Amino acid sequence: MRPDEISFRLPPPAAAIPARPPEPVPTMVPLTIDGRAVEMPAGSTLLDACKTLDITVPTLCYLETLTPVNACRVCVVEVEGARVLAPACSRQVESGMVVKTRSPRVDLSRKVVLELLGSSVDLSTAPGLAEMMVEYGARPERFQESLGSASSVSSVAQPVKIDNDLYVRDYGKCVLCYKCVEACGTDAQHTFAIAVAGRGFHAHISTELDVPLPDSACVYCGNCIAVCPTGALMATPEFELRQAGAWRPETQAVTDTICPYCGVGCTLTVHVQDQQIVKVTSPFDNDVTRGNLCVKGRFGFEYVNK
Amino acid sequence: MSFHPTMPYGTEGWHRSMRATLPEGPEFTFSAETRATFEEFAAHYAPEHRKSAVLHALYLAQEQQGYISNNVTRHVAEVIGCTTADVEDVVSYYVMFHRNPVGKYVLQVCTTLSCALAGAERVVEALEHKLGIKAGETDPTGMFTIQQMECLGACDRAPVVMVNNDHWHEHLAPEACGALVDQMTTEGLKALSGCHLAIEGRPESEWKGKTTTPVKPKAVPDYEAVLTKFAFTPGGAEFDHYVKNQAGYEGLKKALAMTPDAVIEDVKKSGLRGRGGAGFPTGLKWQFVDKKSPKPKFIVCNADESEPGTFKDHLLMERNPHLLVEGCLIGCYAIGSKAAYIYIRGEFYHLFPAMQKAIDDARKAGFVGKNILGSGFDCEVYLHRGAGAYEAGEETALLESLEGKRAQPRFKPPFPAIEGAWGCPTAVNNVETLCNVPLVMTRGAEWFAALGPEKNGGPKMFCVSGAVKRPGVFEAPMKVTLKELIYDYAGGPLDGHTLKAVIPGGSSVPILLPDQLDIPASFDDVQRAGSLLGSAAIIALDDTTDMVWLADNLLHFYRHESCGKCTPCREGTDWLYRILHRMMNGQATEKDIALLGSVANQINGKTLCAFGDAAATPVLTTLKLFKPEYEAYVTGTQPKPAAYRGKTTVETH
């Protein structure tokens, strides 16, 4: 590179302050969901439309701050005239669409997805999933009943990976939603410390060559923990309290504050139990953080507890 | 799959994220020469898309060191400019990369349906017996490794064995395995039969009549083959021969004299439909390509032929490569693209130099490169090699693989015509489809459309394999009936046997019964009969075929090839395989049949791509047509396995 390319030069001052570009006027798309008419801006998804109508569509691998990967198939809805069910998180609205968010086909599909996941994955710490299982009548045990012994079940609990002080990885609880991979990659952190390895039923989340976290590219931002929907990735204090049977979210005081470290001023949500900070998160709808934090904000609270 | 970190699959305490430790290996860097080769190849992609060349880098590394150690993965990441995790997710996805040191010769035995019908399972057993090792292991001398593979796309020469990702041995009878191993020990690769399509410089007796028997269809008695007319003429694949005998590159000249839109109009008028499986009108697909987009456009040729039972594109690329090159060029001209990428499945490595030679010869004659024939049209044709993944045959997964990622499908819409390769408008076309394009140009859309039944025009390649006397690839218009293909072209069932059922379009389509075969083998007629023409891979099943075994074999394939992205397919294929396997082992109960049907039904139509439907089909169709066979397994009254070709036909020990 030539020196003049690296030397810092101010851009020439603008002759006039440019006018603010006009707000784009979105084209509105009319569609019908569960018999109710709604108009949505072009480019929005069926899930957005459902939210506008206060219709609940369950999701697992979807998060508003991440690019949808369409992996879990929990949010599928029925689009009239389409051969296959459409994932609400990705399918964009089209004019005249007629959508059903609950139909025998949709319910069956959701039930089966939950059963298949439940048959191989420990979903005990996944918030909301137990209720979802009840709602859709999912009975993962029906596979087990049929096959008899536990040895014929593919996926069983494995030892929790504890290789650092900040968080643990319990892949026996992983539903392969790809959220952590996305948060570590292009959707937030751009660290690319974790990826999916293997394929088919052997696909799994892994660090590079399966090395322990301290040897990997991980920077301990903990943004993967923030997005994990099942508790497969868990900060150490929460994990230890859960192990001791002392994790009581209902007794926790949840307070928003500002991170004390640098000048960015991220919003921290501090979870306090028995006068101790037990967890730090950040709101996903916060304009500054979009739910993301760095190692200091997420894990650097020990000095308060001491 | 054997070379992946071995999983104690199915044993207690197993979990998908448990892995055997992989070897670190010695320090690794590319030799200066290899690095230069790589950089030359990487220049086929835009600098910001360097990751696209990752599979090529891994192949080069494997050539240099024999396997992909952890140090190789790290070095490749450095060369590409991404993290190790980003390379590891690719390495661990594709089956053609060895993760552990392997023997001098890796015997890669195809065990998918057509090969299994010819006794491939016995071949594996015979090799295991001879070498004293199990599949996936290397013998103590370090000479041989046995690897079980899924469909290698050579079903007419079953059972087939590939050696070291490149060399072929066809028609390997179980009882000949011992002799082959002995011969290879002394003679090395010379002991192999080679691919019968490589006919140059070989005596006629070795290849003549091994495949494609010229038969005239009854409905079109004066039909003369166009795609395969010179397939078995020595030198028929050469540039000069192509120009002289097949009006070579005349189609391109004609197209260049027309406007791109007129070319698309002609292709639409011809009624050419995609030959990859879906039968979508090609002209329409090209018309959908977003021409107004400021981004570059691409033609991507899908040469990832891997639907079990399909082996037509292999023949076209090996014996008529210029037809494909010309088809790519015309396609590029029509959609306003300056580059075509031909994605060749990893198992067809020998086609790589052959296709490259064709492209280079065409370039010398001024048909590829800048300002083609002085028309101002610039076009390049590049080759891209896959690395063993059936899923890469799905168009969006193929694009992901082209971008150097795991071959996992994308959500549609947006369709590739709007956002395809590297986010640019792209048309993905099958090899046979593009090979038909020059014919539309030279012989005219009317000729093309008139060849077949309405909306099913043009010549079609049919692959017939399984329990027939003369398996092979046959070219005929789609007026030919399925019955003719099986009885007249392929010689009918073996002596002393009768036809039990037919899979008309590759393993992913419903089965037809013998009384349903008197229909034209066209997209529409086969669909009306309740199945699909798919890739026109006809697998004949005779009275010795055990349908539960067949479903078990195919589910092994689908479970192995599922990409693992979306839940119903990842978990569902595993469950289907487990239940079927229990059934084969005589442990199933009445409940299992119901469970099998319900799981299969519930995968069907609920996945991101059509793979889920494909995987459910073998179970659903056999359950529908041959339920008593399942019941026999539950009650323990199934016929003895000895009566079954797939189970035991030849005594090996």
Side-chain angles (χ1 to χ4, degrees):
Chain A
M1 200 178 280
R2 291 198 310 277
D4 59 327
E5 281 176 29
I6 18 178
S7 59
F8 183 72
R9 257 188 264 157
L10 287 172
I17 297 172
R20 184 179 169 162
E23 284 285 326
V25 185
T27 336
M28 297 305 277
V29 177
L31 69 159
T32 316
I33 300 180
D34 291 348
R36 293 160 65 190
V38 65
E39 283 210 344
M40 293 299 293
S44 44
T45 63
L46 288 178
L47 194 63
D48 298 333
C50 291
K51 275 185 191 151
T52 317
L53 292 171
D54 275 331
I55 296 170
T56 317
V57 174
T59 58
L60 190 57
C61 72
Y62 169 82
L63 196 67
E64 54 271 34
T65 55
L66 303 174
T67 319
V69 288
N70 300 290
C72 74
R73 319 306 287 176
V74 166
C75 71
V76 288
V77 294
E78 196 165 343
V79 177
E80 210 165 83
R83 188 182 65 88
V84 292
L85 299 173
C89 66
S90 305
R91 186 64 191 266
Q92 294 191 354
V93 294
E94 283 162 28
S95 180
M97 247 182 183
V98 179
V99 180
K100 278 189 226 148
T101 63
R102 292 298 289 261
S103 72
R105 232 178 120 202
V106 168
D107 284 10
L108 177 70
S109 182
R110 288 180 189 161
K111 171 179 167 248
V112 172
V113 165
L114 292 170
E115 282 178 340
L116 287 170
L117 287 175
S119 73
S120 61
V121 183
D122 170 10
L123 299 173
S124 60
T125 54
L129 266 189
E131 294 79 2
M132 218 193 278
M133 291 247 187
V134 175
E135 186 179 353
Y136 291 96
R139 284 181 57 250
E141 26 339 325
R142 75 184 172 112
F143 295 115
Q144 183 97 18
E145 280 163 12
S146 164
L147 291 192
S149 75
S151 64
S152 26
V153 179
S154 304
S155 192
V156 292
Q158 55 152 339
V160 183
K161 286 187 200 298
I162 304 177
D163 49 18
N164 67 88
D165 294 338
L166 299 179
Y167 70 99
V168 300
R169 298 177 289 150
D170 182 357
Y171 287 129
K173 294 176 175 170
C174 175
V175 291
L176 278 172
C177 69
Y178 285 64
K179 278 181 182 171
C180 56
V181 178
E182 296 207 301
C184 192
T186 46
D187 276 354
Q189 196 62 28
H190 282 83
T191 294
F192 302 99
I194 47 175
V196 181
R199 84 168 181 214
F201 195 77
H202 297 164
H204 58 276
I205 307 293
S206 170
T207 55
E208 54 189 55
L209 307 168
D210 212 17
V211 294
L213 272 184
D215 298 341
S216 76
C218 178
V219 296
Y220 299 98
C221 62
N223 291 331
C224 52
I225 311 175
V227 297
C228 180
T230 61
L233 302 172
M234 201 179 270
T236 306
E238 177 177 349
F239 176 74
E240 284 173 353
L241 285 169
R242 277 184 191 269
Q243 292 291 95
W247 179 254
R248 296 185 304 274
E250 64 287 353
T251 68
Q252 288 169 8
V254 179
T255 317
D256 278 3
T257 180
I258 299 293
C259 180
Y261 285 100
C262 78
V264 173
C266 295
T267 303
L268 301 186
T269 305
V270 180
H271 303 244
V272 178
Q273 177 179 321
D274 300 332
Q275 300 299 308
Q276 298 272 307
I277 297 178
V278 289
K279 183 159 98 173
V280 173
T281 57
S282 185
F284 287 114
D285 57 0
N286 185 285
D287 283 343
V288 179
T289 67
R290 307 276 284 157
N292 299 314
L293 290 172
C294 75
V295 58
K296 290 181 284 181
R298 196 178 299 277
F299 298 111
F301 52 77
E302 280 304 304
Y303 71 97
V304 186
N305 287 348
K306 273 186 184 135
Chain B
M1 179 42 63
S2 28
F3 290 109
H4 280 259
T6 20
M7 312 270 179
Y9 180 74
T11 50
E12 200 125 9
W14 178 82
H15 186 275
R16 59 167 143 245
S17 47
M18 287 183 180
R19 306 166 60 197
T21 318
L22 295 170
E24 286 295 308
E27 283 291 311
F28 181 87
T29 41
F30 276 137
S31 64
E33 203 182 317
T34 314
R35 179 64 191 258
T37 319
F38 170 74
E39 292 301 338
E40 203 180 301
F41 184 84
H44 295 174
Y45 309 93
E48 62 270 33
H49 303 139
R50 198 174 158 80
K51 175 99 194 286
S52 295
V54 67
L55 293 179
H56 200 77
L58 289 165
Y59 273 123
L60 289 172
Q62 186 159 290
E63 251 168 56
Q64 192 176 322
Q65 188 181 286
Y67 71 105
I68 308 286
S69 64
N70 288 355
N71 280 327
V72 169
T73 313
R74 291 192 188 97
H75 182 64
V76 169
E78 211 181 290
V79 168
I80 299 284
C82 60
T83 61
T84 314
D86 237 12
V87 176
E88 167 69 6
D89 74 344
V90 173
V91 185
S92 62
Y93 185 89
Y94 296 95
V95 299
M96 296 191 68
F97 299 124
H98 308 321
R99 305 304 301 278
N100 286 294
V102 288
K104 189 175 172 196
Y105 303 117
V106 186
L107 306 173
Q108 299 162 306
V109 189
C110 170
T111 52
T112 313
L113 189 57
S114 291
C115 279
L117 283 168
E121 292 172 340
R122 300 287 81 73
V123 169
V124 175
E125 277 176 22
L127 288 172
E128 286 178 342
H129 180 73
K130 171 73 183 171
L131 295 167
I133 52 171
K134 288 273 154 215
E137 294 173 353
T138 303
D139 80 323
T141 62
M143 186 74 111
F144 293 100
T145 302
I146 308 173
Q147 185 181 10
Q148 235 176 304
M149 299 289 277
E150 297 300 347
C151 191
L152 294 176
C155 318
D156 52 342
R157 290 147 274 149
V160 73
V161 176
M162 186 170 71
V163 178
N164 296 351
N165 286 349
D166 193 9
H167 309 274
W168 294 69
H169 189 81
E170 298 166 349
H171 296 295
L172 177 59
E175 63 270 33
C177 289
L180 179 71
V181 166
D182 290 337
Q183 215 182 335
M184 282 187 75
T185 313
T186 51
E187 293 173 30
L189 296 169
K190 276 195 207 124
L192 302 174
S193 74
C195 176
H196 79 293
L197 294 172
I199 62 171
E200 268 78 20
R202 285 170 64 182
E204 217 172 73
S205 59
E206 282 184 21
W207 48 265
K208 188 128 196 179
K210 290 269 171 74
T211 190
T212 62
T213 319
V215 182
K216 302 281 183 196
K218 287 190 186 100
V220 197
D222 54 349
Y223 181 71
E224 195 185 356
V226 275
L227 295 166
T228 57
K229 188 175 178 190
F230 300 104
F232 286 89
T233 311
E238 296 294 326
F239 177 79
D240 293 338
H241 190 279
Y242 177 66
V243 168
K244 203 169 145 208
N245 297 296
Q246 294 194 60
Y249 294 98
E250 287 301 320
L252 176 66
K253 287 179 195 161
K254 214 166 158 192
L256 290 178
M258 297 156 72
T259 65
D261 285 339
V263 175
I264 294 181
E265 256 334 290
D266 252 20
V267 174
K268 270 166 79 178
K269 232 190 292 167
S270 73
L272 170 61
R273 291 170 72 169
R275 305 310 205 213
F280 191 80
T282 306
L284 215 52
K285 195 181 242 184
W286 289 358
Q287 197 179 21
F288 288 155
V289 172
D290 185 7
K291 286 226 181 98
K292 290 199 194 93
S293 164
K295 294 177 187 168
K297 286 105 200 144
F298 296 106
I299 285 273
V300 174
C301 171
N302 186 344
D304 188 77
E305 177 175 62
S306 38
E307 176 77 16
T310 317
F311 41 94
K312 61 189 176 64
D313 300 342
H314 186 179
L315 178 114
L316 283 173
M317 285 190 284
E318 178 118 17
R319 301 305 312 158
N320 213 349
H322 283 284
L323 197 59
L324 176 58
V325 175
E326 189 179 352
C328 287
L329 293 167
I330 299 172
C332 283
Y333 178 71
I335 67 161
S337 154
K338 286 186 163 60
Y341 286 88
I342 304 177
Y343 183 102
I344 302 177
R345 75 178 289 197
E347 289 85 342
F348 292 169
Y349 193 26
H350 55 292
L351 290 181
F352 212 84
M355 283 303 304
Q356 192 58 55
K357 181 176 180 297
I359 295 167
D360 292 344
D361 286 350
R363 187 194 312 279
K364 270 183 225 145
F367 293 116
V368 173
K370 291 242 177 275
N371 193 16
I372 295 168
L373 302 172
S375 64
F377 169 58
D378 306 333
C379 195
E380 278 297 336
V381 181
Y382 298 119
L383 300 179
H384 184 100
R385 188 185 175 199
Y390 167 73
E391 180 57 15
E394 201 275 345
E395 60 174 0
T396 55
L398 181 135
L399 295 174
E400 287 281 297
S401 185
L402 181 66
E403 293 178 15
K405 302 176 195 159
R406 301 156 62 80
Q408 293 184 332
R410 300 174 182 169
F411 177 69
K412 295 187 276 191
F415 287 89
I418 310 297
E419 269 180 46
W422 306 290
C424 305
T426 304
V428 184
N429 292 114
N430 175 259
V431 172
E432 194 192 337
T433 315
L434 288 171
C435 284
N436 273 308
V437 172
L439 303 180
V440 174
M441 290 292 121
T442 48
R443 296 178 183 232
E446 291 74 20
W447 168 84
F448 195 90
L451 263 187
E454 209 192 334
K455 290 187 185 160
N456 290 275
K460 178 88 194 77
M461 307 274 280
F462 294 94
C463 318
V464 188
S465 64
V468 285
K469 284 188 194 135
R470 288 191 303 271
V473 193
F474 308 105
E475 183 191 329
M478 287 185 265
K479 280 179 186 162
V480 70
T481 64
L482 286 172
K483 202 167 184 173
E484 272 181 85
L485 282 165
I486 291 168
Y487 285 90
D488 300 346
Y489 286 73
L494 304 178
D495 291 333
H497 292 283
T498 52
L499 200 63
K500 179 175 183 179
V502 169
I503 303 178
S507 66
S508 313
V509 307
I511 286 173
L512 292 180
L513 294 173
D515 60 359
Q516 290 175 290
L517 301 179
D518 219 353
I519 52 165
S522 75
F523 289 105
D524 296 330
D525 287 284
V526 179
Q527 193 167 4
R528 267 193 291 275
S531 188
L532 294 160
L533 186 64
S535 54
I538 300 164
I539 306 173
L541 308 165
D542 70 10
D543 51 353
T544 62
T545 316
D546 175 348
M547 290 298 170
V548 180
W549 168 85
L550 176 131
D552 179 65
N553 181 286
L554 289 178
L555 258 297
H556 182 277
F557 170 82
Y558 285 112
R559 177 181 158 280
H560 181 257
E561 299 297 331
S562 165
C563 78
K565 186 171 179 180
C566 70
T567 316
C569 176
R570 179 184 67 235
E571 312 279 333
T573 50
D574 185 73
W575 275 112
L576 290 177
Y577 178 67
R578 276 173 175 278
I579 302 168
L580 282 163
H581 216 64
R582 266 173 63 80
M583 214 164 254
M584 294 297 291
N585 290 337
Q587 299 162 320
T589 60
E590 191 64 39
K591 253 180 159 179
D592 283 328
I593 301 181
L595 185 66
L596 199 59
S598 92
V599 176
N601 248 321
Q602 289 156 358
I603 300 177
N604 205 357
K606 297 186 175 62
T607 51
L608 190 50
C609 70
F611 187 103
D613 308 8
T617 303
V619 172
L620 292 174
T621 179
T622 48
L623 265 178
K624 186 176 156 204
L625 298 172
F626 302 99
K627 197 159 182 199
E629 295 193 23
Y630 281 89
E631 284 157 358
Y633 266 93
V634 171
T635 51
T637 53
Q638 78 274 19
K640 288 262 181 302
Y644 287 70
R645 180 192 314 283
K647 292 304 290 178
T648 44
T649 43
V650 190
E651 289 296 320
T652 51
H653 307 165

